[in-house]
Amino acid sequence: MIKCMNGRLKPFRYVLQITTMKKRLFSGIQPSGEVHIGNYLGAIKNWISLLDDYDCIFSIVDYHAITIEYDPGIMQERIINAAATNIAAGLDPDRCIIFVQSQVPEHTELAWILNSLTPMGILERMTQFKDKAQQNEKNINVGLFDYPVLQTADILLYKGCTVPIGEDQVQHVELSREIARKFNARYGDLFPEPQHLLSNAPRIMGLDGKNKMSKSMNNYISLIEEPEAIWKKLSRAVTDENRKRRDDPGNPDICNVYTLHKYFSTDSELDRINKECRSAEIGCVDCKRILSDNMIKELAPIREKSLELINNPANVIDTLNTGAEKCKKIAEETMKEVRSLMGLR
Ligand code: TYM
């Protein structure tokens, strides 16, 4: 027993729990294709660096992934691949929870409740909805429209305080703050207002140099890309478009390949490339070759470990099931509080 400031005796275990309590962090990734270096640099690397400072929960958000056309026959494979690649990149399941969203049905229950607090007008303004509606003209469904409310439910179900994401998700987290505020004002204080956290690479551009790197634009390099494929893709990547010939001086400030170097190459390589590109001592092919070599070196262990986990998925499935069990407990508690505040049961 330990004597507290108010003079009462508390079990040591209780005091330890209070003093070691970390802030809850929540984030998610869709199983909508291969995990790419935009996800890795923009989110996953940051998640890994935060593992010890927060109480971390990461979700493979399959209910979000069904809002666009997909093949049900390969959904499970994609879920395993997404989980395996994240684990292989360093998302250590011993230091966080990793689970599949649809294994905890409370996500959709809370989303329905939050729907009745969310004005349609706000959802109509969501940039990602407008972009995706344009890309999926024949399938602009209610799920796509309601996507940010489900994302809010994901975060609030675990009372997530910190949400590390890429820039494209900032608007969604702002919305989740607004919905949390509305819930608290209408029914009573329950949810923290989630804050987004950006990495040092919040918006990685695709190999086309024009659009954000994304699965749907097919302008990406995946984390499990074969080495030859990395080189093949990089060799076609758009550079400084004003540099027409090998002898023209280039401008690294407007070159997406140079930007990618910042995440894979050393400081001295960066300095040298910057200088030699401007003076045309080095051509785009040479510059891409260095990037390709460095990228292959960094991604090789991730690819190797991912394939090992994917080819023998029992451990990944185990991790996901354990994660879902832990999340289910937290989610049930939150839903009890939600229902009680709302006079539902
Ligand atoms: P998703 O699956 O599109 O992407 C996963 C994470 O990767 C980031 N990201 C990028 N960062 C930098 N540059 C890029 N080119 C790039 N592409 C993707 C995303 O910002 C994201 O952080 N809606 C989310 C998933 C989600 C979620 C949540 C996130 C569902 N519920 C709750 C946080 C909290 C999404 O589609 O991520």
Side-chain angles (χ1 to χ4, degrees):
M1 299 290 260
I2 272 193
K3 201 166 191 177
C4 292
M5 272 160 51
N6 61 8
R8 289 206 195 111
L9 290 174
K10 292 264 186 207
F12 179 66
R13 187 169 32 87
Y14 174 83
V15 176
L16 195 69
Q17 191 186 339
I18 297 290
T19 51
T20 59
M21 205 125 72
K22 292 176 183 170
K23 269 186 113 179
R24 167 86 27 92
L25 175 152
F26 186 97
S27 203
I29 186 163
Q30 295 191 69
S32 51
E34 286 175 3
V35 179
H36 54 69
I37 59 170
N39 301 129
Y40 176 61
L41 300 171
I44 301 167
K45 261 187 130 173
N46 207 19
W47 298 349
I48 295 161
S49 75
L50 298 165
L51 283 179
D52 292 330
D53 299 331
Y54 290 86
D55 174 13
C56 295
I57 304 181
F58 300 103
S59 185
I60 311 294
V61 290
D62 51 350
Y63 276 161
H64 279 103
I66 63 170
T67 58
I68 54 167
E69 210 70 50
Y70 75 102
D71 176 357
I74 59 166
M75 180 53 111
Q76 286 312 307
E77 195 182 302
R78 283 187 162 182
I79 289 172
I80 299 293
N81 288 4
T85 312
N86 274 279
I87 294 169
L91 212 63
D92 177 1
D94 290 335
R95 289 147 73 209
C96 64
I97 298 178
I98 309 173
F99 79 107
V100 180
Q101 183 187 37
S102 65
Q103 280 191 265
V104 183
E106 282 81 359
H107 285 253
T108 41
E109 186 182 355
L110 183 58
W112 178 254
I113 285 171
L114 300 179
N115 275 337
S116 45
L117 286 168
T118 311
M120 303 245 310
I122 292 188
L123 294 183
E124 276 161 1
R125 287 202 295 273
M126 292 291 125
T127 318
Q128 194 168 66
F129 170 68
K130 288 193 232 166
D131 288 349
K132 286 201 175 171
Q134 221 170 35
Q135 286 165 18
N136 301 277
E137 256 183 342
K138 292 200 183 100
N139 183 21
I140 307 175
N141 58 73
V142 178
L144 196 62
F145 184 65
D146 201 30
Y147 181 112
V149 181
L150 179 58
Q151 180 158 347
T152 300
D154 295 342
I155 302 164
L156 298 189
L157 197 51
Y158 304 100
K159 300 186 181 163
C161 298
T162 303
V163 187
I165 41 160
E167 197 179 71
D168 60 332
Q169 298 300 315
V170 170
Q171 199 183 27
H172 289 165
V173 181
E174 280 166 359
L175 175 78
S176 71
R177 268 203 291 281
E178 220 167 302
I179 297 178
R181 216 174 292 140
K182 276 195 168 207
F183 183 97
N184 293 343
R186 182 128 149 215
Y187 298 113
D189 248 348
L190 180 64
F191 296 123
E193 290 179 19
Q195 306 297 319
H196 63 262
L197 187 66
L198 292 176
S199 72
N200 65 349
R203 186 180 172 83
I204 295 293
M205 298 303 284
L207 300 177
D208 51 13
K210 290 188 179 65
N211 299 290
K212 188 195 73 163
M213 184 173 286
S214 76
K215 295 157 209 168
S216 57
M217 297 298 291
N218 200 12
N219 60 2
Y220 65 87
I221 291 181
S222 110
L223 281 193
I224 58 169
E225 205 86 62
E226 304 251 4
E228 309 83 73
I230 293 182
W231 167 242
K232 206 163 160 196
K233 286 189 171 183
L234 276 179
S235 63
R236 293 198 207 112
V238 173
T239 53
D240 166 10
E241 288 187 302
N242 298 325
R243 192 176 188 189
K244 305 276 186 239
R245 288 175 302 265
R246 168 68 182 78
D247 294 341
D248 292 342
N251 181 359
D253 298 339
I254 53 167
C255 175
N256 189 40
V257 168
Y258 182 74
T259 304
L260 288 174
H261 265 291
K262 292 181 186 163
Y263 304 107
F264 292 97
S265 303
T266 62
D267 287 347
S268 63
E269 278 172 322
L270 272 173
D271 285 347
R272 186 167 68 82
I273 292 162
N274 192 320
K275 190 176 127 289
E276 293 181 0
C277 169
R278 288 180 200 279
S279 60
E281 283 166 82
I282 187 175
C284 292
V285 177
D286 312 314
C287 172
K288 287 174 173 178
R289 185 51 92 178
I290 301 169
L291 176 61
S292 173
D293 289 348
N294 292 344
M295 208 182 270
I296 289 168
K297 207 152 85 196
E298 173 154 350
L299 300 190
I302 301 178
R303 178 182 141 72
E304 209 172 291
K305 177 90 185 150
S306 293
L307 295 181
E308 196 184 305
L309 292 169
I310 290 166
N311 291 331
N312 184 10
N315 285 340
V316 176
I317 293 169
D318 242 27
T319 298
L320 294 174
N321 287 340
T322 309
E325 269 170 43
K326 289 183 186 162
C327 283
K328 180 99 185 111
K329 285 203 187 101
I330 307 170
E332 278 172 357
E333 281 309 307
T334 306
M335 286 314 297
K336 268 191 212 153
E337 293 176 293
V338 168
R339 289 188 210 107
S340 159
L341 284 172
M342 295 180 72
L344 287 172
R345 237 175 277 166

